[in-house]
Each structure stands twice: as C-alpha cells, then as structure tokens.
Amino acid sequence: MSAIELRKVCKKFEQANKQLRNLRVLDNISLKAKKGEFIAVFGPNGCGKTTLLNIIAGIEKSSSGSVRIDGKCPALAKVGFVFQNYNESMLPWRTALGNIELAMEGQKISKKDRMRIAEHYLKKVGLSRHKNKYFYELSGGMKQLIAICRAFAYDPDILLMDEPFSSLDYSTTRKMELELLNVWRETAKTTIFVSHDIDEAVFLADKVIVFSKRPARVKGIIEIDLPRPRKLEMLSSKAFIRIRNKMLRLSEYET
Amino acid sequence: MKHKRPYYFIAPLMILIAWSITANLGIISPLFLPPPQTVVLELTHLFVSTQIIPDIAFTLYRTIIGFLIAGIIGIPIGLLMGYSDKIYHSLEFIVEFFRSIPATALFPLFLLFFGIGDQSKIAITSWAACLVLIIHSMYGVRLGKELRMKSANTLRVKGFALFQKVIFPEALPQIFGGMRIAISLSLIIVVVTEMFIGTSFGLGHRILDAQLVYNLAEMYATIITTGAIGFLINKSIIRVETGVVHWNGK
Ligand SMILES: Nc1ncnc2c1ncn2[C@@H]1O[C@H](COP(=O)(O)OP(=O)(O)O)[C@@H](O)[C@H]1O
Ligand SMILES: [Mg+2]
C-alpha cells in the first residue's frame, strides 16, 4: 500500500465573475508515494501546487478523483503541513518552543513530554538557544525551521510542505534545506515538498514530479539517484547538472 | 523614543500662545475667554484648596466602573459574534441599530429604569462603551488570519482550545484598540451625565455650575483637568497594551 496515492484528481474553481468559465487548476493528477519517500513537486507559479497540497490535506475538496493516505481518506489521516506564509500560520504571541508545542496540544501528551519533544527538534535544527525567543524575534529562515519542527513534532502520517523557503535568499535556502534533511532523515516521514526552484527540488527529493502550467498536468517524473545524505558539493556535481538539465528540458517546452 | 518628547509640546504650546495673544490683547472679551494665566491661577486654587479632588474621584469612579461593566459584557458578546455566524446574525441588527443612536438621547429611558442616582449614569456609560467593545472584539475575531486557524486545525487544535489559543490572542490588539476608544467615550458620557442628571460631585457638575454663574476661569480649569484625566487613562491603557500584545505590528 502506498503512503500517498492520488488517482485522476481534477480541480476546478468557480470564478467570482460568473460570466467566466470555471478555472481548471488540476488536470488528472495521479501520483504515488512510497512510505518514507521524499517527493518534490516542481512547477511554475500559479499552476496549482498549493491547491494540490490543500486537497491532499483535506482542506479543500477535489472536483473528481480520489486521494488516499495509508489507504484512508485525508480527513482521517494525520497530516503535517508547513505553509508558505509562516507569518500567518504560526503564533507570534508564543515562543519558538511554544509554537512547536502547539502541535502536541491537540493530542494526549503531557506537558513534560511536549517540552522534551519540542526541545529535541529545536536541537536537531540547531535552534536550541533561541527556544525562548518570541516567534517574531526570529529571522525568516529560523521561523520556517520552527514551522518545520512543529510539523515533525505533530508526528504526522505524511508531511506536506508548500514552498517553505521561497522567501529566503539563496544561501539561507541551501542552509535550511540541509537542516530540513537533517530532521527528515531521522523520522523518514513520507513527504511532498512543493517548489518552483529547480535546485531545491533536485537537492531534496528522491523523485521530482514536474507539473505543466495551469491547469497542472504531470509532465514527467524524474528519479533522483543522488546518494544520501545530500551535501552542498553535490549542487555542482555532474550527476546533479545532468538531472537539472533533464528537468529543464521537460519543463520548458510546453506542449 | 528620546526624540519624541520635544514634539509632544509643540502643538499645545502653539495653542497656548494663540490663546494668550487673543485673550491678553482683548481680541476676544475675557467674559468668554479668560487669559491663560487667570485659568492657571484658578486651576492651582482648585487643587491647592482640594475642592476639585472629590469631583475627580467621583468622575473617575463612574468612568472606571462603567467601563469595566462594559468590558465584562461587551468583549465576550463581541467575541461570540465574531466566532459564530448564527450569533452574529441574531445580534447584528440590534448592535447596528443602537450604535447609530447617541447614548445621551436615551437619558429618559435610563432614568426610568435606573433612577436619577449614580446607577443610571454608570448604566448609560456602560451601554455606550459596551457597543464600542462589542464591535471591536467582533472585528478582532473576523480580521484574524484564516490561515492561522486552518493551520491550527490541521494540528487538531479545535473547539474551545482553538478559541483560547488562537482566536482570542489574535483578537487582542483590536480589543485593546476598542478599549482605548471606549474609555475615552466613558469619560465623555460620565461628564455629560453629571451635567444633566443631578449630582453633588463630578467634573461635569462643576463645569455646568461654573458656566451658570459665568465663572469661566473655573469652567476652563475644570475642562483642562478633564482632558488631562482622559489623556492619562488612555496612556495607562496603552502601557498595559504594549506589555500584553507585545507581538502587535511585528
Ligand atoms: N479558492 C480559490 N478560488 C478561485 N481560484 C483559486 C482559489 N485558489 C487558487 N485559485 C487559483 O488557482 C490557481 C492555482 O493556484 P495555486 O494552487 O495557489 O498555485 P501555486 O501554488 O502553484 O502557485 C491560481 O490561478 C489561483 O488564482
Ligand atoms: Mg502556492
């Protein structure tokens, strides 16, 4: 059984202007993720990536098609979601530690264990000394790491990440990616990571799914056979550049 | 922060200068506008003789009690209206209706129910402040970021926990904004009720008494005192606010 299985998922949005035809966003998306697999979804802005994650998380309904998480419907699964906009998805009135704890407050976990687990993840991403800072006192990169820690601390069946680093600069992004892989390796959660950054998708994933422009169709699936753990040097390796070029070819020429 | 201080005094100083020139040169008759020095003298007299202290105490007491009652009733109602569409739609008409009617127009009604003592003064004040607090608390909830609720929802934080951990803190900055408006309004309404509903103490009472006997120096001295009190209670709320909602605007 696949950890995540999408079959022919379509999504149309009604437009606010009723004279316009429904907006087709997802066109027959099928994909499978094995347990512990890290999948990147790569596609241009506005193609429907966030919509796809919302549907997998059960926040939004598909127009047709089916979504299964460990064989269950999304509403019954535990889904960890890291949103693109950390300033609107996290709690600025709580500390770094408090934000991670929130993930465990809806479950039967004692205060002591919550603290222990939260501190464990903070340590993993190297933010232990910032644990008592308020969320707004952290830099953008740190904020998103806290959001990632929160998702892991929830101990979800699957993890969804929506361009978590898209607002960070190049070198911070690379640093954050290493930290992310560092936490991910420990738990090996099945992950779908959405990105419009080619390097990011290739660097992180086991498999990249390339989306077309809206309405999003699967244009191709590329296996990334780079060894793990991934290292920054790989970004300039021959293998990396070969995969990168393959992806460029696949995504550039729209049919 | 340090550089803010001098700017504080520019506008008041300009008004004082304009006032001093017009009054001292006799452009306006001292019968209507006594010169500042006369008013300052009167102000000193009112405080040194402690005459004005009971008035300040009574006005403050009514303002604060009225405001507190308004908070206890208005904030929960506003939060509920923001949270639940059903409650919003059942109360929307009443709130919008009474919000357009000046509380002071309802004097007779309040006198009928609460008599001519302190009770009706406080009741009218609470009423007016309550409407302000309902509206601000409601918008506090409604303007909350939907994504914050959604993301807490994906973590299975729901029901009352969601309200307590996400919705209420998110509404706090708006609630404080409402509290600042409500406390100023409370002071205004208290002073007006003291002018029109019989009482032996209160700044409004003193203003009206001075007016009736053409003691304009005393009238302006009392008005200045009222303004200063309004300024100070507003400042104290801002103080609490910056401590409590420290994340606001960050
Ligand atoms: N709730 C909605 N109602 C109508 N249109 C929407 C809604 N959500 C997204 N869209 C539209 O769907 C398209 C895809 O959006 P999105 O999934 O956010 O793209 P991406 O995340 O790939 O940038 C966009 O054109 C967007 O305007
Ligand atoms: Mg998006």
Side-chain angles (χ1 to χ4, degrees):
Chain A
M1 180 175 55
S2 305
I4 306 173
E5 181 165 8
L6 270 68
R7 263 201 224 128
K8 295 189 174 165
V9 170
C10 295
K11 178 69 183 177
K12 291 179 189 139
F13 282 116
E14 269 182 36
Q15 308 250 44
N17 182 347
K18 295 286 175 222
Q19 272 147 12
L20 297 175
R21 289 178 47 213
N22 285 351
L23 189 72
R24 281 170 58 224
V25 176
L26 298 177
D27 183 12
N28 263 314
I29 305 288
S30 297
L31 63 88
K32 274 184 186 175
K34 291 197 284 275
K35 192 144 200 64
E37 207 169 19
F38 196 122
I39 291 189
V41 171
F42 172 76
N45 272 327
C47 73
K49 303 182 295 298
T50 299
T51 307
L52 179 81
L53 291 190
N54 283 339
I55 289 172
I56 297 174
I59 295 173
E60 211 145 7
K61 274 208 167 68
S62 60
S63 306
S64 65
S66 80
V67 180
R68 285 282 171 277
I69 297 169
D70 291 334
K72 298 173 286 192
C73 77
L76 298 176
K78 256 175 110 179
V79 178
F81 204 134
V82 179
F83 295 88
Q84 187 170 11
N85 188 343
Y86 44 79
N87 282 323
E88 288 187 7
S89 62
M90 305 296 283
L91 309 181
W93 48 86
R94 287 201 182 192
T95 59
L97 195 74
N99 266 286
I100 301 174
E101 271 190 69
L102 182 76
M104 294 168 276
E105 289 172 13
Q107 310 172 53
K108 286 195 181 66
I109 298 176
S110 72
K111 171 81 183 161
K112 217 176 111 207
D113 286 342
R114 290 205 304 261
M115 295 269 284
R116 186 178 52 75
I117 294 168
E119 296 202 23
H120 167 77
Y121 284 109
L122 277 168
K123 192 167 166 203
K124 265 272 157 212
V125 298
L127 290 181
S128 287
R129 64 202 170 86
H130 298 290
K131 66 176 180 185
N132 290 323
K133 281 199 180 150
Y134 281 106
F135 191 70
Y136 59 82
E137 294 175 307
L138 304 167
S139 70
M142 293 182 193
K143 284 178 177 172
Q144 203 54 292
L145 283 183
I146 299 297
I148 288 169
C149 288
R150 185 174 87 168
F152 275 100
Y154 181 53
D155 192 24
D157 300 328
I158 61 162
L159 263 174
L160 305 177
M161 307 199 190
D162 190 2
E163 309 192 36
F165 307 132
S166 60
S167 63
L168 308 177
D169 63 59
Y170 184 86
S171 70
T172 313
T173 302
R174 301 288 92 85
K175 235 177 84 197
M176 298 299 128
E177 285 160 7
L178 283 176
E179 298 292 2
L180 165 62
L181 288 179
N182 197 19
V183 211
W184 175 77
R185 212 170 41 174
E186 177 189 71
T187 52
K189 295 277 178 201
T190 313
T191 302
I192 296 189
F193 187 107
V194 152
S195 180
H196 68 258
D197 175 340
I198 237 180
D199 287 352
E200 180 168 77
V202 176
F203 186 66
L204 293 174
D206 298 317
K207 202 158 93 184
V208 179
I209 298 178
V210 179
F211 272 13
S212 67
K213 282 194 287 197
R214 194 187 68 220
R217 283 173 302 103
V218 178
K219 290 191 81 174
I221 298 178
I222 297 177
E223 300 282 341
I224 314 288
D225 44 16
L226 300 171
R228 291 192 186 271
R230 301 278 161 85
K231 303 214 168 61
L232 285 181
E233 299 88 80
M234 292 178 185
L235 285 167
S236 51
S237 71
K238 279 214 177 74
F240 192 95
I241 291 171
R242 182 176 44 79
I243 299 169
R244 199 176 185 280
N245 286 340
K246 202 164 143 195
M247 264 178 70
L248 275 175
R249 273 197 305 278
L250 196 58
S251 56
E252 236 166 31
Y253 311 117
E254 292 284 338
T255 46
Chain B
M1 279 305 251
K2 270 182 204 143
H3 305 292
K4 239 166 70 182
R5 295 232 163 254
Y7 295 109
Y8 249 143
F9 299 105
I10 291 178
L13 209 67
M14 277 164 58
I15 292 174
L16 201 65
I17 291 168
W19 174 15
S20 189
I21 291 171
T22 42
N24 284 309
L25 294 183
I27 299 171
I28 295 176
S29 154
L31 239 45
F32 293 107
L33 187 67
Q37 63 271 24
T38 317
V39 174
V40 170
L41 222 60
E42 179 63 30
L43 196 60
T44 321
H45 167 70
L46 285 174
F47 274 90
V48 170
S49 68
T50 70
Q51 279 181 53
I52 201 170
I53 304 298
D55 296 313
I56 293 176
F58 269 94
T59 299
L60 261 183
Y61 155 77
R62 290 168 188 139
T63 304
I64 289 169
I65 297 293
F67 172 76
L68 286 180
I69 294 173
I72 291 167
I73 299 172
I75 294 173
I77 292 180
L79 290 172
L80 286 172
M81 281 179 76
Y83 185 58
S84 146
D85 279 342
K86 280 185 197 141
I87 298 176
Y88 173 76
H89 289 301
S90 9
L91 294 180
E92 181 195 8
F93 174 74
I94 300 191
V95 171
E96 293 296 333
F97 179 83
F98 282 110
R99 173 188 183 193
S100 335
I101 299 175
T104 43
L106 299 174
F107 270 179
L109 202 63
F110 278 91
L111 289 178
L112 189 68
F113 281 106
F114 295 96
I116 55 163
D118 263 1
Q119 273 179 24
S120 58
K121 295 190 192 68
I122 291 172
I124 297 176
T125 305
S126 296
W127 168 263
C130 193
L131 287 169
V132 170
L133 288 172
I134 287 176
I135 291 181
H136 277 80
S137 313
M138 181 181 86
Y139 280 118
V141 175
R142 301 216 140 204
L143 295 176
K145 294 281 177 267
E146 207 185 321
L147 188 61
R148 231 182 308 272
M149 294 227 277
K150 247 193 225 163
S151 71
N153 263 321
T154 64
L155 299 171
R156 297 197 176 144
V157 175
K158 290 180 176 153
F160 184 71
L162 182 72
F163 190 83
Q164 179 207 345
K165 291 169 183 179
V166 181
I167 298 173
F168 180 66
E170 177 107 71
L172 266 179
Q174 282 282 331
I175 294 176
F176 269 103
M179 282 182 3
R180 275 193 269 138
I181 298 174
I183 194 92
S184 300
L185 184 66
S186 297
L187 181 62
I188 292 172
I189 305 272
V190 166
V191 170
V192 173
T193 58
E194 286 167 348
M195 292 169 87
F196 295 108
I197 304 176
T199 178
S200 350
F201 296 104
L203 291 167
H205 175 250
R206 182 173 288 275
I207 290 170
L208 192 73
D209 270 6
Q211 221 173 73
L212 292 177
V213 297
Y214 290 101
N215 187 350
L216 291 201
E218 185 184 347
M219 186 189 86
Y220 284 115
T222 314
I223 289 174
I224 289 171
T225 308
T226 311
I229 289 173
F231 176 79
L232 289 177
I233 44 186
N234 231 299
K235 277 280 160 201
S236 23
I237 291 195
I238 292 177
R239 244 206 141 102
V240 178
E241 181 178 350
T242 43
V244 176
V245 292
H246 52 89
W247 65 87
N248 196 19
K250 298 242 169 85

